Amino acid sequence: MNHGYLWAVTKAGTPQRINSKEKPEANEIYDWEDFPVHGVGGEPVHIIKLASTPEVVFAIDRGGHVYVFSTQTHLAIRQTVTTYSNQRWYPVIGWCSHTLPTDRPTFSNHDGTQRLTFESFSLRSDGWRWEEPWLVAQDSRRFDKEGWEYGLNFGRSIDWTSSQKSTSFVRRRLFKRTMRFVAIEHWIQMAMTNSEHKFLDLCAGNFASGSEGAFDLFALSEFGRIYRREGVCRNNPEGSKWGQIEGISSNDGGFEDISALGTSAAHRCLLVLTWDGRLYARWGMTPERPHGRGWMPINLPGSQPITGFALGYTSLWIVSVEAKIFTSNVSVDHKGIHLTQTNFREAGEAMCRMSCSRNDQVFAIANGTEVLHVRTGVCPEEPYGKIWTPMVHRNGENRMLQVDASTVSFTHRRIPKAWIDENFAPSTLDLSQIRDAQWRVKIISELREMNDRCWGVFQESIDGPEIENFARTDDQKWRLETRVAAIIANTGLLNWSEGVFQLSDTEIHVTLKRGTVYRRPLEDLCAIYPISSSKPAICVSMRPLSSSSLIRIGFSTDDERVQWIHELEKEIRRCAVLLPRDRRSQWAFSILDDGTPRCHVISQMRADKNNTQIPVSLDSAPTLLVPGHFIDISAGSERVVWAITSAGHVYALESRYDPLDEEVEHQKYAFFRGFLPFDGCSGNVYAWCDLFGKQKDKTMRLPRGWTWSDLEWKLKSDWEFGVRLDGEWGVAEKKASARRRVWQRERVFETSGPWIRVDCPPAESVHVSRNNDMILTWVITKSGDVLVRLGCCRAGPQGQDWFHVSSEWPIRLLCISSGNRVWALTKCNRLLVRECANAVDIYKIDWREVIVEEVTLSEIIEITACSRVLWMLRNDGRMLGVWLFSRKVRVFTLPNPERDPASSDYGRSRRESLGNRATRDLPQKWNNPGNSTLSTSRIRDSVGENRNERHF
């Protein structure tokens, strides 16, 4: 799992890196690794400077040549080149490649302005290999069966058609060829097209600049010119060409001499240092104008010259000529770099060659010993840090020439112990062996019993007299009771009412102060889930499910809510174990609106009128909360369950996890947002609140276990205007009397739990197949790529290897039928299908496009499939079905499904995955298209060749 690397260059000119994971495991490397650069004859190359990005590292040698190092990735790096073959029709002769002198060349680019033959394309460098021969592009929307499109005459404004007409006198055909970057985890030399492109310094930054992993790469040439590499991104690690940036004008009419340059990993900016120790920043740098507009000087402490600098997210560090370290807070925007403090503060001495991470963690090399140091304690509250601590080198050279911390992701609280502790050794202890130990179970049981006793004494001392007045209705022994606010359905009460919530060994009991009493046996407990309210609250669902079986309970503290959820879910487990279940022991998983996953025991059985055991419905199945916080979840065969967090991290459920066994520790991941620019409360709207209207504060303190992953609140959206604070938004600014904007700041909670982190690029959705013979897990990344995980099973649900399934277009929706047929909907609204019965099919079978002219695919928001039918949900709630018969397709429309009035209040799940029984609860009228209007479409082979690849 990639937590980022700290890169450095030793005194001998060898690049090194070390993993920044806080607690490396026993099988992980936690010391410095050498990645030497070799020349053409295998001789070592002496590196003087490197610049790292999350996926690519650049380096320069003494001769000024640039080298590229691509880190390991699960996504293949490909580039496709294209050219058009042009022909003209002549009487008698017919179609001929010999065009008129005024026509386009026989082979040209898209608009015919440039001659492009097959021989004019070559590999960009030694790191690229051709993956296929030249192929004719196939797209039935543009071309005919042979790949031709036709027109009246060659011209820039010509209208091309896919069929030949009587007025078609010219035609063209698109050829394409794909090259793949194969230089993974080793150095290659970047091709040099100009002798002036020999460099003395380089830097990389702005890693969050946009899609496709784009970033900025700057270099300083031997002649003092500043260049920016254009086109560098994840799919093009070498970029396309160098673009020159104008220099700094001097008083004598020339340009200032530049000695060094630098940038920030978190911002689009550029700083340069002149030979006389002055610092300048480039202003006006935007996505539309990445080279900027001009230069602005940075005021230095005492106006004394400096020898080095480093820029983080909110801090600027400099090294004076006296080897003293100074730092100050800064803000960065398109107008330049601005000091938020008038004075710099001294932060040590005898350091040089500094580097700052995107979280403002700073590193430097000592002047005398040349040992690498890290500044401890750097945080928003104390941006200057505490002390310089030397880093440990257990093997090899410990003298450093340069350090680059651009991709380091930890904060001041998570500096890896392996970096600063010489006696560190990774833990080889299996925590699962301790979790089930008898001594641990006994200690936890005694602690819980003591906690219950102390809590009971505390409650009696605070609320005892008042509770006695209206809560003690009988002599039954209550195992747990507390004062609450409650809403009981169908009692005529819509607001919270004060009362007492009690739990015994046989029933739950709610007594309101107004005299209302609600009693139900524990066997009727169906589900408990947290709800959003003005207070910590839960909703208790009873069986049979109806509008009168829901109770809302509000607690005074969140700890009380957690305690009651724990106790009530213990009773649901106990009843689920005692009641009969299907021997298949199947589950279904869903996700609540707040991201909490739930497990439904759908193998539970019940007796019907004839006393025959039948499966319970999904709404009545025992439901348990699963620790975690996700946006998508999928369950397949053999209890293989995968889920995705809001940050795109992928997790697999541990094979030891059983919802009817003991509970596990909590794991959560969430965002906080604040609204509106006033203080206090106006009407029912707070100045700062979350999505549910609960009051928040930008200076809020985090609970135990949580840490901010962002250094400060970030503005997410521009102003949105409305007539009233509690009204509708989106009106014109001239008609508005209120406005709001969204801020966000990410926090993370990491702890042991039932989920196993799987190394994967940021993902959007996950789908686990339901074939017992071979379980495949399909993941759609945020860039639209498709990855397939092999080797998933009951013993190892996280699988073994990734396969990158290539596609002509990025994918936005995907589903798997019970017959291992994979359906996909692209971002350009094309419907694709492929067969995938085994691992060989991933390589051999390509996507086929299904042409469905009767359906507007841009309106589809979700798809799912059974053996032969693809179900598509439109944004208006209507359901469409696609039946696939050989090469023909039938489409039918279904009416809106009828829903139980109580189901909308039952957890409000936004994502459900039912494993092998995904279609069991499908209404019968959905399975019978007899009353629907059928239409026939066609299916054809998809554009492009299948270029799937295995990555280790």
Side-chain angles (χ1 to χ4, degrees):
M1 192 181 308
N2 187 3
H3 289 255
Y5 293 97
L6 177 66
W7 286 84
V9 179
T10 66
K11 195 69 174 178
T14 302
Q16 289 186 339
R17 77 178 183 189
I18 186 172
N19 195 336
S20 63
K21 187 175 182 180
E22 179 186 7
K23 296 179 180 180
E25 300 177 3
N27 59 346
E28 293 182 324
I29 299 175
Y30 57 92
D31 203 1
W32 291 92
E33 297 179 87
D34 290 340
F35 290 90
V37 182
H38 298 284
V40 179
E43 299 179 355
V45 176
H46 191 283
I47 298 299
I48 61 173
K49 184 71 180 292
L50 60 77
S52 65
T53 73
E55 295 175 333
V56 188
V57 182
F58 302 90
I60 52 177
D61 61 6
R62 289 176 173 176
H65 303 96
V66 181
Y67 295 84
V68 182
F69 181 93
S70 180
T71 58
Q72 184 67 46
T73 176
H74 299 296
L75 300 176
I77 301 175
R78 294 186 174 94
Q79 289 288 320
T80 301
V81 295
T82 60
T83 185
Y84 281 88
S85 172
N86 304 304
Q87 292 186 355
R88 174 172 285 276
W89 186 85
Y90 296 94
V92 181
I93 299 177
W95 294 105
C96 181
S97 298
H98 295 286
T99 57
L100 298 176
T102 57
D103 289 339
R104 299 180 177 182
T106 304
F107 288 91
S108 68
N109 60 350
H110 176 74
D111 57 6
T113 58
Q114 184 179 0
R115 185 173 183 269
L116 292 177
T117 62
F118 291 160
E119 293 75 17
S120 61
F121 295 93
S122 60
L123 295 173
R124 300 187 174 185
S125 67
D126 294 337
W128 295 88
R129 296 291 183 272
W130 290 115
E131 196 173 36
E132 60 191 7
W134 286 98
L135 301 174
V136 177
Q138 298 290 334
D139 187 345
S140 62
R141 290 176 172 83
R142 293 181 54 189
F143 312 119
D144 61 9
K145 295 182 180 180
E146 296 180 355
W148 294 102
E149 57 181 347
Y150 301 85
L152 175 63
N153 198 2
F154 288 118
R156 295 189 178 184
S157 59
I158 185 174
D159 294 329
W160 297 97
T161 61
S162 59
S163 59
Q164 184 177 359
K165 301 178 181 179
S166 59
T167 57
S168 299
F169 296 99
V170 295
R171 68 178 183 178
R172 67 177 183 177
R173 182 162 55 179
L174 176 63
F175 285 87
K176 63 179 183 178
R177 193 179 188 185
T178 301
M179 64 179 74
R180 180 167 56 93
F181 190 76
V182 297
I184 306 298
E185 290 286 324
H186 69 86
W187 296 94
I188 62 167
Q189 184 175 341
M190 182 184 294
M192 182 182 298
T193 58
N194 192 328
S195 59
E196 294 185 0
H197 294 165
K198 292 185 177 182
F199 302 107
L200 299 174
D201 195 8
L202 80 167
C203 63
N206 188 29
F207 302 149
S209 59
S211 59
E212 300 298 330
F215 54 89
D216 291 331
L217 176 65
F218 303 97
L220 178 64
S221 72
E222 294 179 342
F223 300 96
R225 299 187 180 97
I226 303 173
Y227 292 89
R228 178 183 178 272
R229 189 68 173 178
E230 298 179 2
V232 285
C233 61
R234 176 178 61 82
N235 282 331
N236 188 16
E238 295 178 286
S240 55
K241 63 179 181 179
W242 291 101
Q244 185 175 349
I245 300 177
E246 63 177 354
I248 304 173
S249 300
S250 61
N251 296 330
D252 57 2
F255 295 96
E256 297 285 353
D257 293 330
I258 307 299
S259 63
L261 50 79
T263 184
S264 169
H267 302 289
R268 185 189 299 273
C269 62
L270 175 63
L271 291 91
V272 297
L273 181 64
T274 63
W275 281 102
D276 55 359
R278 290 174 294 151
L279 187 63
Y280 288 85
R282 188 74 173 170
W283 65 272
M285 301 183 68
T286 62
E288 296 75 20
R289 193 161 185 169
H291 287 199
R293 296 177 179 270
W295 295 97
M296 58 179 293
I298 302 296
N299 296 325
L300 301 175
S303 299
Q304 58 179 331
I306 64 174
T307 60
F309 64 91
L311 178 63
Y313 183 71
T314 60
S315 62
L316 174 64
W317 296 73
I318 61 175
V319 183
S320 69
V321 292
E322 299 174 352
K324 293 183 178 180
I325 306 295
F326 295 90
T327 182
S328 177
N329 289 341
V330 297
S331 63
V332 183
D333 55 24
H334 68 281
K335 296 181 180 180
I337 300 176
H338 315 282
L339 301 178
T340 57
Q341 295 177 342
T342 57
N343 298 323
F344 281 81
R345 179 173 175 176
E346 188 173 349
E349 58 183 359
M351 294 290 173
C352 62
R353 288 166 283 180
M354 307 175 63
S355 180
C356 228
S357 74
R358 47 190 158 184
N359 289 331
D360 284 331
Q361 302 305 304
V362 63
F363 300 80
I365 299 174
N367 276 337
T369 62
E370 295 183 329
V371 174
L372 182 60
H373 287 65
V374 58
R375 185 75 172 179
T376 60
V378 178
C379 61
E381 296 77 18
E382 193 173 355
Y384 313 106
K386 296 180 180 179
I387 61 173
W388 291 101
T389 302
M391 293 186 60
V392 177
H393 285 71
R394 294 173 177 82
N395 300 311
E397 179 68 60
N398 66 344
R399 295 185 304 163
M400 294 297 172
L401 183 66
Q402 182 241 339
V403 60
D404 190 299
S406 299
T407 61
V408 172
S409 59
F410 65 81
T411 60
H412 72 286
R413 297 180 180 177
R414 299 183 178 182
I415 297 179
K417 294 182 179 179
W419 289 15
I420 55 179
D421 186 1
E422 295 183 357
N423 300 320
F424 173 83
S427 175
T428 59
L429 183 62
D430 187 1
L431 297 180
S432 62
Q433 298 177 358
I434 299 178
R435 187 178 64 179
D436 301 328
Q438 292 296 326
W439 59 268
R440 181 179 181 272
V441 175
K442 183 177 180 181
I443 291 176
I444 293 178
S445 176
E446 292 180 354
L447 289 175
R448 286 177 177 172
E449 182 180 355
M450 181 62 67
N451 182 67
D452 293 340
R453 292 178 182 177
C454 295
W455 183 254
V457 173
F458 174 76
Q459 288 288 78
E460 291 179 1
S461 62
I462 300 299
D463 300 325
E466 188 175 356
I467 291 177
E468 291 291 340
N469 291 335
F470 66 95
R472 298 294 184 183
T473 58
D474 50 38
D475 296 332
Q476 186 172 4
K477 182 179 179 181
W478 301 107
R479 195 172 72 208
L480 190 63
E481 69 177 348
T482 187
R483 183 178 175 180
V484 297
I487 299 178
I488 301 177
N490 285 356
T491 59
L493 301 176
L494 301 179
N495 298 323
W496 294 103
S497 301
E498 187 178 356
V500 173
F501 191 23
Q502 298 164 313
L503 174 67
S504 70
D505 294 334
T506 59
E507 67 178 12
I508 62 172
H509 191 195
V510 181
T511 305
L512 301 184
K513 197 170 184 179
R514 299 181 180 181
T516 304
V517 178
Y518 184 89
R519 307 178 68 166
R520 292 294 292 270
L522 293 178
E523 289 76 10
D524 290 345
L525 271 177
C526 183
I528 299 98
Y529 53 89
I531 58 176
S532 301
S533 179
S534 57
K535 59 188 69 181
I538 63 173
C539 184
V540 181
S541 177
M542 309 298 295
R543 191 185 297 110
L545 187 65
S546 65
S547 58
S548 61
S549 61
L550 300 175
I551 316 170
R552 292 173 175 82
I553 305 295
F555 300 91
S556 58
T557 65
D558 191 64
D559 291 338
E560 277 187 341
R561 177 170 67 171
V562 173
Q563 182 187 20
W564 275 91
I565 291 177
H566 173 79
E567 292 296 332
L568 293 176
E569 286 205 333
K570 281 173 53 178
E571 296 301 327
I572 296 178
R573 286 188 181 89
R574 182 182 62 84
C575 296
V577 171
L578 296 177
L579 294 177
R581 283 184 291 160
D582 188 353
R583 62 182 180 179
R584 291 174 293 181
S585 185
Q586 293 171 322
W587 307 341
F589 285 80
S590 64
I591 297 179
L592 294 174
D593 285 342
D594 64 350
T596 303
R598 300 189 301 173
C599 176
H600 310 266
V601 186
I602 59 177
S603 59
Q604 197 78 54
M605 309 294 289
R606 65 177 180 86
D608 60 5
K609 297 180 179 180
N610 299 325
N611 203 24
T612 304
Q613 295 294 330
I614 61 174
V616 299
S617 64
L618 179 62
D619 290 340
S620 300
T623 301
L624 300 168
L625 299 177
V626 182
H629 188 88
F630 303 104
I631 61 171
D632 195 16
I633 195 167
S634 179
S637 301
E638 297 294 328
R639 295 188 179 182
V640 176
V641 182
W642 284 49
I644 296 177
T645 68
S646 56
H649 300 157
V650 180
Y651 288 83
L653 190 65
E654 284 187 354
S655 58
R656 299 190 305 268
Y657 178 76
D658 190 333
L660 303 182
D661 198 357
E662 66 174 359
E663 285 191 317
V664 291
E665 297 182 24
H666 184 62
Q667 177 189 35
K668 198 173 183 182
Y669 199 94
F671 285 98
F672 280 86
R673 299 179 176 93
F675 299 101
L676 308 180
F678 60 88
D679 295 329
C681 178
S682 176
N684 296 325
V685 180
Y686 288 98
W688 296 93
C689 60
D690 61 10
L691 292 177
F692 305 103
K694 187 177 179 180
Q695 186 177 10
K696 295 293 181 183
D697 190 350
K698 291 182 71 174
T699 60
M700 61 176 293
R701 295 181 60 187
L702 292 178
R704 179 186 300 177
W706 291 84
T707 56
W708 292 115
S709 55
D710 290 336
L711 293 178
E712 61 180 21
W713 290 88
K714 299 178 181 178
L715 187 62
K716 183 181 179 181
S717 65
D718 294 330
W719 289 110
E720 185 180 12
F721 299 91
V723 179
R724 297 175 53 189
L725 287 173
D726 55 352
E728 296 183 357
W729 297 92
V731 302
E733 182 177 356
K734 296 181 180 180
K735 300 180 180 180
S737 59
R739 66 176 185 175
R740 68 176 183 180
R741 58 181 176 179
V742 181
W743 296 77
Q744 84 173 14
R745 189 179 184 185
E746 187 177 87
R747 65 173 182 170
V748 63
F749 179 66
E750 295 183 354
T751 182
S752 58
W755 299 95
I756 305 171
R757 177 80 178 269
V758 180
D759 187 15
C760 179
E764 281 189 344
S765 63
V766 61
H767 307 269
V768 183
S769 65
R770 305 180 182 97
N771 184 4
N772 294 325
D773 297 332
M774 184 187 65
I775 303 175
L776 300 176
T777 301
W778 298 71
V779 171
I780 302 178
T781 67
K782 291 188 175 182
S783 60
D785 295 294
V786 178
L787 296 174
V788 181
R789 189 75 167 182
L790 292 184
C792 299
C793 60
R794 177 69 180 275
Q798 69 273 24
Q800 297 176 353
D801 303 312
W802 285 110
F803 285 84
H804 182 198
V805 180
S806 62
S807 172
E808 181 88 6
W809 311 279
I811 305 297
R812 69 180 178 94
L813 296 176
L814 186 142
C815 68
I816 309 169
S817 69
S818 56
N820 285 314
R821 177 174 288 159
V822 183
W823 296 82
L825 190 61
T826 68
K827 292 184 178 181
C828 58
N829 299 313
R830 297 172 182 263
L831 184 61
L832 308 179
V833 65
R834 66 186 295 157
E835 305 293 336
C836 191
N838 50 58
V840 178
D841 291 344
I842 300 179
Y843 290 101
K844 300 299 182 181
I845 298 182
D846 199 2
W847 293 102
R848 293 181 296 166
E849 184 176 5
V850 180
I851 308 298
V852 187
E853 299 176 350
E854 300 82 0
V855 181
T856 305
L857 295 178
S858 60
E859 299 176 351
I860 304 302
I861 60 175
E862 190 63 65
I863 59 174
T864 187
C866 51
S867 58
R868 291 187 178 181
V869 181
L870 172 69
W871 306 96
M872 298 186 292
L873 180 64
R874 292 181 19 170
N875 51 15
D876 59 359
R878 298 178 62 189
M879 180 75 72
L880 303 177
V882 177
W883 281 11
L884 184 59
F885 299 97
S886 182
R887 307 286 291 185
K888 293 184 178 181
V889 177
R890 290 194 174 186
V891 181
F892 55 91
T893 303
L894 299 177
N896 292 331
E898 298 178 359
R899 300 184 62 186
D900 187 348
S903 63
S904 61
D905 217 358
Y906 182 66
R908 300 185 298 279
S909 300
R910 59 176 171 182
R911 179 78 166 90
E912 294 185 359
S913 182
L914 277 69
N916 289 332
R917 299 167 73 175
T919 59
R920 192 196 69 187
D921 296 312
L922 195 65
Q924 284 298 113
K925 61 182 179 181
W926 289 13
N927 291 318
N928 181 14
N931 298 327
S932 305
T933 302
L934 298 182
S935 58
T936 303
S937 298
R938 64 188 185 278
I939 185 172
R940 68 166 183 81
D941 291 339
S942 174
V943 175
E945 293 293 312
N946 188 23
R947 300 180 298 273
N948 303 291
E949 178 178 292
R950 184 172 184 174
H951 297 273
F952 297 92

